[in-house]
């Protein structure tokens, strides 16, 4: 499991690193103003709709159902897998076609744009919305691989997508002399089709791994009486869960795009709208994507087997292990974002049409997001505990806490804060909502799994204790990181980030043994044994 997690983490690191290059190229080409907002909305809407309508269901339902079918069916679940893939692909085709036709309505729902900006956003959206189909195929085929214990391809193929986008925007920068006044029809087509091409390549790149796993998909339409009712029922609850999330996200998108327009009309320096929020969010979720997603993806088949066997004690231990192990890296990462946000944003996005004022705005948003990273990672792990039990109904009701708080607090930030700080307040609102959601989810799952079992030492190794000790260690580490970054900033943003990161890591490592952070000390001991030191 650890080898699989390491392979996925490595792929995710490379994917995220190339993703930052991609984002930097996009921002350098379009900036963080209104034109950047148009592209960001057009490229984000397909992913929003995909997750809203089917994506969340595929991610959470597929692996437990395939593991269960492999245990219970005489053919190892082959026919069941074919039927489930066929049904989901048919749904994706219908949803994609409807979305492309409804592009103007979708754009008007997420933005207050009118005139040329609305026309540009709709045109880009029509080219980008076919991504829904290929996002779905990528998830479907990737989950088949995960259920068969092959985890690497799904983490590595997004690198190809990033290379395609980098190439497309590099070409745009070469052929476009000045996009400040908008995009021509040819430039719109280049950016829209090029962005979608990246997702197509990402999905098709899974085919060699599927062939190596001896998987051959044979479409089957004999769905009646085939056992698809349970996954479809579970998927229905997940669609409702994602819907509530997207209502909150719709509020943020609508309010942040409106704030961006207000900031531009007021002549404020720095884009303080949706693009800045999106860029900060994209950077903020990196540690969770590298650490938590990789670890839980590797654990999910084992958790699903424990749930299928009725071994709730084993499932509790796996959930606790995932919470503690992921926190060992996620909590220091949150401290890093809080301490080094200005230099991190400058090193990633400070190019092209992005100025010092733009990076300052995004840095404030990243700092507001930073504490929520801990809760975001924990919520992801806890929800997978319910999904392993084939329970998607309970997470739906628990998620209402996050969605409602996020929407309400974001609206309050928009109404009460000036345009310069409104979207930063929305980032902070999401952090508050995540902590509230994680608290109620942890309480509910703990009651569902029953009391802790095992040795006394094992019972004392709780996720709460680990998080508290990590927070104690990260207090002085944050101060040391900020001081080191300030001392090194005269050598540039990269030097400041490097110095601050080293300082944070050193302080956390030095405090690991006094604070009995076994998740960190065990990792260090393992590294010493492997290096012979």
């Amino acid at each position: 499991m650890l080898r699989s997690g390491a392979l996925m983490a490595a792929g995710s690191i490379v994917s995220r690193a190339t993703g930052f290059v991609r984002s930097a190229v996009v921002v350098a080409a379009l900036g963080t103003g209104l034109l950047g907002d148009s592209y960001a909305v057009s490229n984000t809407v397909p992913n929003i709709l995909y997750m809203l309508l089917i994506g969340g269901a595929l991610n959470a339902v597929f692996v437990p159902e395939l593991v269960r079918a492999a245990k219970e069916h005489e053919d190892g679940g082959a026919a069941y897998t074919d039927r489930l893939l066929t049904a989901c692909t048919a749904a994706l085709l219908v949803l994609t076609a409807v979305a492309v036709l409804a592009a103007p309505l979708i754009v008007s729902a997420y933005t207050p744009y009118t005139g040329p900006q609305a026309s540009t956003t709709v045109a880009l959206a029509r080219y980008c919305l076919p991504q829904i189909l290929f996002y779905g195929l990528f998830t479907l085929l990737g989950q088949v691989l995960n259920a068969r214990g092959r985890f690497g391809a799904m983490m590595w193929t997004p690198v190809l997508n990033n290379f395609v986008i980098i190439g497309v925007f590099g070409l745009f920068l070469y052929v476009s002399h000045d996009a400040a006044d908008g995009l021509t029809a040819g430039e719109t087509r280049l950016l829209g089709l090029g962005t979608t091409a990246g997702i197509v390549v990402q999905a098709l790149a899974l085919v060699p791994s599927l062939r190596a796993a001896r998987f051959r998909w044979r479409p089957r339409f004999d769905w009646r009486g085939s056992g698809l009712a349970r996954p479809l029922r579970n998927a229905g609850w997940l669609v409702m869960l994602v819907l509530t999330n997207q209502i909150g996200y719709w509020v943020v998108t609508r309010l942040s795009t409106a704030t961006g327009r207000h900031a531009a009309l007021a002549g404020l320096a720095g884009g303080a709208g949706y693009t800045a929020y999106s860029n900060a969010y994209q950077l903020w979720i990196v540690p969770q994507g590298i650490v938590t997603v990789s670890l839980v993806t590797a654990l999910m088949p084992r958790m699903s087997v424990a749930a299928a066997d009725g071994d709730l004690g084993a499932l509790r231990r796996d959930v606790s292990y995932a919470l503690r192990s992921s926190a060992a890296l996620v909590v220091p990462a949150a401290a890093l974002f809080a301490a080094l946000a200005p230099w991190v944003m400058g090193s990633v996005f400070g190019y092209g049409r992005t100025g010092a004022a733009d990076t300052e705005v995004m840095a404030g948003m990243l700092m507001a997001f930073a504490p929520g990273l801990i809760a975001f990672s924990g919520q992801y792990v806890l929800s997978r505990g319910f999904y392993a039990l084939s329970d998607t109904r309970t997470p739906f009701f628990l998620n209402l806490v996050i969605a409602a708080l996020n929407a309400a607090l974001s609206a309050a930030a928009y109404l009460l804060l000036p345009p310069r700080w409104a979207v930063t307040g929305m980032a902070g609102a999401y952090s508050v909502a995540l902590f509230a959601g994680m608290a109620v989810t942890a309480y509910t799952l703990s009651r569902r799994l029953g009391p802790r079992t095992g040795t006394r030492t094992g019972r004392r190794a709780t996720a709460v204790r680990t998080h508290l000790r990590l927070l104690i260690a990260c207090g002085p580490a944050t101060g040391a990181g900020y001081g080191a970054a300030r001392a090194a900033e005269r050598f540039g943003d990269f030097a400041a980030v490097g110095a601050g990161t080293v300082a944070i890591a050193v302080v956390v490592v030095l405090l690991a043994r006094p604070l009995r952070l076994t998740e960190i000390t065990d990792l260090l001991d393992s590294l010493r044994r492997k290096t012979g030191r």
Side-chain angles (χ1 to χ4, degrees):
M1 182 202 62
L2 289 176
R3 283 195 299 270
S4 298
L7 176 62
M8 286 185 286
S12 186
I13 289 171
V14 176
S15 175
R16 300 289 180 173
T18 54
F20 292 147
V21 176
R22 178 196 66 191
S23 297
V25 173
V26 172
V27 172
L30 302 179
T32 60
L34 297 181
L35 182 58
D37 281 0
S38 289
Y39 175 79
V41 170
S42 301
N43 189 36
T44 305
V45 161
N47 196 30
I48 292 174
L49 294 178
Y50 160 69
M51 290 302 297
L52 172 62
L53 298 172
I54 198 170
L58 299 183
N59 275 314
V61 172
F62 229 62
V63 169
E65 289 299 328
L66 295 183
V67 168
R68 190 183 299 272
K71 287 174 62 68
E72 297 176 355
H73 297 185
E74 294 182 359
D75 63 350
Y80 184 85
T81 302
D82 288 339
R83 294 186 185 101
L84 197 53
L85 278 171
T86 304
C88 292
T89 302
L92 284 167
L93 285 168
V94 173
L95 292 174
T96 302
V98 171
V100 171
L101 293 174
L105 294 176
I106 294 169
V107 170
S108 65
Y110 278 91
T111 70
Y113 298 156
T114 57
Q117 189 177 13
S119 300
T120 298
T121 308
V122 170
L124 283 168
R126 287 196 189 277
Y127 289 121
C128 291
L129 283 167
Q131 294 174 22
I132 294 172
L133 171 62
F134 295 98
Y135 274 128
L137 290 175
F138 173 74
T139 302
L140 287 168
L141 300 178
Q143 296 299 335
V144 170
L145 288 170
N146 289 347
R148 294 171 177 239
R150 294 175 178 262
F151 303 101
M154 199 174 183
M155 292 296 184
W156 282 91
T157 52
V159 176
L160 300 176
N161 172 35
N162 292 334
F163 283 141
V164 172
I165 303 302
I166 291 169
V168 168
F169 274 85
L171 178 60
F172 173 79
L173 285 169
Y174 178 75
V175 301
S176 174
H177 300 292
D178 185 8
D181 297 327
L183 301 174
T184 66
E187 291 167 348
T188 302
R189 187 163 48 250
L190 169 63
L191 297 184
L193 291 178
T195 302
T196 298
I199 305 300
V200 174
V201 170
Q202 174 180 300
L204 297 182
L206 294 178
V207 173
S209 296
L210 291 163
R211 296 183 65 86
R214 295 190 173 90
F215 174 74
R216 301 292 186 273
W217 176 24
R218 297 173 178 83
R220 298 188 60 152
F221 297 90
D222 52 336
W223 301 335
R224 186 182 299 275
S226 60
L228 294 181
R230 183 175 60 193
L232 292 177
R233 182 172 58 252
N234 289 339
W237 284 108
L238 277 166
V239 168
M240 293 175 66
L241 183 150
V242 177
L243 176 61
T244 58
N245 274 341
Q246 292 306 324
I247 291 173
Y249 189 77
W250 173 81
V251 171
V252 172
T253 303
R254 186 84 182 187
L255 296 180
S256 60
T257 52
T259 300
R261 289 175 63 87
H262 296 330
L265 292 173
L268 295 178
Y274 175 73
T275 300
Y277 182 97
S278 178
N279 287 339
Y281 180 90
Q282 181 185 32
L283 187 58
W284 171 71
I285 64 171
V286 167
Q288 190 263 359
I290 293 174
V291 178
T292 312
V293 173
S294 299
L295 180 62
V296 175
T297 301
L299 273 172
M300 195 65 186
R302 193 171 83 180
M303 292 166 61
S304 300
V305 169
D309 293 340
D311 190 351
L312 297 184
L315 179 56
R316 173 186 274 277
R317 289 191 293 273
D318 282 341
V319 171
S320 177
Y321 172 77
L323 287 169
R324 291 182 285 110
S325 299
S326 59
L329 294 176
V330 167
V331 176
L336 186 151
F337 286 152
L340 310 181
W343 301 284
V344 170
M345 281 300 181
S347 62
V348 176
F349 295 110
Y351 310 98
R353 299 179 62 191
T354 306
D358 297 300
T359 56
E360 181 183 351
V361 171
M362 290 188 287
M365 294 178 189
L366 182 60
M367 294 175 69
F369 272 129
L373 179 64
I374 302 168
F376 188 58
S377 175
Q379 179 72 14
Y380 185 91
V381 175
L382 294 168
S383 63
R384 267 56 191 176
F386 283 108
Y387 298 157
L389 292 164
S390 294
D391 179 5
T392 55
R393 180 176 179 271
T394 304
F396 162 72
F397 289 106
L398 295 172
N399 193 67
L400 292 176
V401 175
I402 298 175
L405 273 177
N406 186 31
L409 294 176
S410 294
Y414 175 78
L415 295 172
L416 300 176
L417 297 177
R420 167 62 179 83
W421 296 104
V423 182
T424 302
M426 295 177 201
Y430 191 42
S431 291
V432 173
L434 285 168
F435 274 106
M438 184 181 73
V440 296
T441 303
Y443 175 78
T444 305
L445 182 61
S446 179
R447 288 179 61 86
R448 175 76 174 271
L449 296 180
R452 297 180 181 89
T453 58
T455 64
R456 181 179 180 183
T457 301
R459 292 196 300 272
R460 293 182 64 185
T462 66
V464 173
R465 287 193 178 98
T466 298
H467 278 76
L468 290 176
R469 290 169 181 166
L470 283 166
L471 289 173
I472 293 172
C474 286
T478 302
Y482 179 77
R486 285 294 301 270
E489 67 179 347
R490 64 181 181 275
F491 300 108
D493 290 329
F494 281 104
V497 172
T501 300
V502 170
I504 291 172
V506 168
V507 173
V508 171
V509 168
L510 289 176
L511 293 175
R513 291 194 186 279
L515 292 173
R516 299 194 302 277
L517 289 169
T518 56
E519 292 75 20
I520 294 178
T521 56
D522 289 350
L523 176 61
L524 294 174
D525 291 341
S526 176
L527 291 174
R528 290 192 187 98
R529 287 193 298 269
K530 289 183 178 181
T531 57
R533 296 179 182 178

